[in-house]
Amino acid sequence: MTVDVQALNEFVLIGSAVTLLAILAVRLSSRAGLPSLLIYLLMGVALGEAGLGIPFEDAELTQALGFAALAVILAEGGLTTNWRQMRSSIRLGASLATLGIVVSVTLVAIAGHYLLGLPWQLAVLLGAVCSPTDAAAVFSVLRVVPLPKRLTGALEAESGLNDAPTVVLVVLVSTGAVSDHHPGVVVAMVVGQLLGGVAVGLAAGFGGAWLMRRAALPTAGLYPLAVLSLTFLSYGAAAAAQASGFAAVYVAALVLGNSELPHRGATRSFAEGVAWLAQIGLFVMLGLLLSPGRITLSTVGLALAAGLVLTLVARPISVAVSAVVQPMPWRELAFLSWAGLRGAVPIVLATFPIVAGVPSAFAIFNIVFFVVLLSSIIQGPTINWLANRLGLLATVRPAQPVPADDAEL
């Protein structure tokens, strides 16, 4: 096997330059109130066939690397989340990640079929792909806004858990297997995978914390690697047990991040850096996969219509229904409705129909891409403004990472 040294050198040159530019762009995006994913996506588009001409059409590779990157992002989110602040709103977060997803998928699918004229399979796929909120977008935007902890806790719990049910649904619909099962069976499968992932995550988290407290590693730099390895171990174990790897990795990281472990500050800093690298690579790759030549005015119109239905109809109704388990004032429910940010998760999920060979799958991918762009451009910069208008910023400190010395689950 021969190695093309010239191609390797070019990859290192372009990759390092893109990474450096992406890191420097974080300050620009934070000052503008935009999720950094927007800049990364556009960088990927600029590098692709419409810009520098780098060819990239491998949806299967995108899906595999996307799952790995999402696992890293969820692990970082769990490790830096304060359980004490999340605990009071975990019921609402779990409800949004399950009942809220069901309501949102149903409403978007109905609108997609009857208003947009999509076949039922594509309409359901559109609803399932677009409904989950994105952990990277939520963590990056909301943690710099001084909100009540019950709101940030609910949104972070939702984004950490809602990948599980949507992945199962998208796979079943993409492969056509959903028609082979009664709706009750599908619901049972989704709930079973979610609960199984949570169970595996709890076992890995508490077991890993017990192990780490007794391990005498020779250098501090090994502890962050060990903790991240434990979170990925939970992902692999859950996947092997036919449970949700995403739920497992988030729960395991949440337990480990709130346990008395050596060098927790170094672990969180390391996880944050790795998560940023994963976000950069993921969003640039997703931007590369987009082919502007396949985008038409019809695609943009469908994306605009789907985004309006999702943001102004499906999301508010799903929040209102989910809040039955934990009622909140209307101002807070209104904020939760607007703060359902979309990001990498919908775009990664949109690769499933492509890999499965679903007709018009690339059309769904392009629509979802634009829905995410609209969410980033419109919702992201207005989060702080809306919270202020609703009176949710007064005398409230931003959600903080887990304390260095006294956090316990």
Side-chain angles (χ1 to χ4, degrees):
M1 179 178 178
T2 60
V3 178
D4 189 340
V5 178
Q6 181 63 28
L8 179 60
N9 291 338
E10 292 177 358
F11 174 79
V12 171
L13 175 63
I14 296 175
S16 57
V18 169
T19 302
L20 181 59
L21 287 174
I23 292 171
L24 296 176
V26 173
R27 180 163 180 81
L28 174 63
S29 65
S30 62
R31 294 182 70 175
L34 294 170
S36 52
L37 67 90
L38 177 62
I39 294 178
Y40 302 158
L41 286 172
L42 295 179
M43 289 176 67
V45 174
L47 290 171
E49 61 183 43
L52 294 181
I54 298 177
F56 186 75
E57 294 283 342
D58 197 334
E60 192 169 358
L61 176 62
T62 301
Q63 184 185 112
L65 295 179
F67 267 46
L70 290 175
V72 172
I73 293 167
L74 286 172
E76 186 270 339
L79 288 170
T80 56
T81 294
N82 192 319
W83 171 249
R84 292 177 180 176
Q85 296 183 355
M86 176 185 282
R87 181 167 50 190
S88 62
S89 53
I90 189 64
R91 283 183 299 158
L92 179 57
S95 181
L96 287 168
T98 51
L99 180 59
I101 287 293
V102 172
V103 173
S104 180
V105 170
T106 302
L107 293 176
V108 174
I110 291 173
H113 181 70
Y114 290 107
L115 297 181
L116 306 182
L118 298 175
W120 272 116
Q121 184 185 26
L122 294 183
V124 175
L125 278 173
L126 181 63
V129 166
C130 288
S131 291
T133 57
D134 183 70
V138 169
F139 295 150
S140 64
V141 172
L142 294 182
R143 288 186 177 178
V144 298
V145 180
L147 291 168
K149 60 184 179 181
R150 60 183 175 275
L151 293 181
T152 55
L155 289 167
E156 289 184 7
E158 176 193 13
S159 65
L161 296 174
N162 66 9
D163 298 345
T166 50
V167 167
V168 177
L169 182 58
V170 169
V171 171
L172 290 175
V173 177
S174 298
T175 59
V178 70
S179 60
D180 300 333
H181 302 285
H182 187 274
V185 176
V186 175
V187 172
M189 292 172 62
V190 171
V191 173
Q193 288 216 11
L194 181 59
L195 293 178
V198 170
V200 172
L202 289 173
F206 284 112
W210 179 89
L211 177 64
M212 293 299 296
R213 283 194 291 263
R214 289 158 178 79
L217 300 179
T219 177
L222 293 176
Y223 284 93
L225 292 175
V227 170
L228 279 182
S229 297
L230 285 168
T231 63
F232 280 103
L233 179 64
S234 70
Y235 182 97
Q242 300 300 310
S244 170
F246 287 138
V249 72
Y250 180 71
V251 172
L254 184 63
V255 174
L256 289 166
N258 287 269
S259 300
E260 292 285 356
L261 300 180
H263 305 290
R264 285 186 298 165
T267 298
R268 289 194 301 274
S269 297
F270 178 78
E272 186 177 9
V274 174
W276 273 110
L277 185 61
Q279 288 185 52
I280 293 169
L282 172 60
F283 294 130
V284 171
M285 179 177 61
L286 292 174
L288 277 170
L289 188 62
L290 180 73
S291 296
R294 288 195 292 260
I295 297 173
T296 63
L297 289 177
S298 175
T299 300
V300 177
L302 288 173
L304 181 61
L308 289 174
V309 170
L310 178 68
T311 305
L312 302 181
V313 180
R315 175 66 181 181
I317 294 177
S318 66
V319 168
V321 173
S322 301
V324 171
V325 302
Q326 189 173 347
M328 285 186 172
W330 73 266
R331 289 181 178 84
E332 297 184 359
L333 294 179
F335 181 83
L336 289 174
S337 299
W338 188 251
L341 302 176
R342 270 70 192 181
V345 172
I347 304 178
V348 172
L349 291 178
T351 63
F352 276 92
I354 298 175
V355 175
V358 175
S360 302
F362 269 106
I364 292 294
F365 180 87
N366 294 334
I367 291 172
V368 171
F369 193 97
F370 272 94
V371 168
V372 171
L373 285 183
L374 290 172
S375 175
S376 302
I377 294 171
I378 298 173
Q379 291 175 265
T382 58
I383 290 292
N384 203 326
W385 172 85
L386 180 63
N388 185 48
R389 293 286 296 177
L390 293 174
L392 300 177
L393 296 182
T395 67
V396 179
R397 294 181 61 83
Q400 298 295 325
V402 179
D405 300 317
D406 60 354
E408 296 181 1
L409 205 73

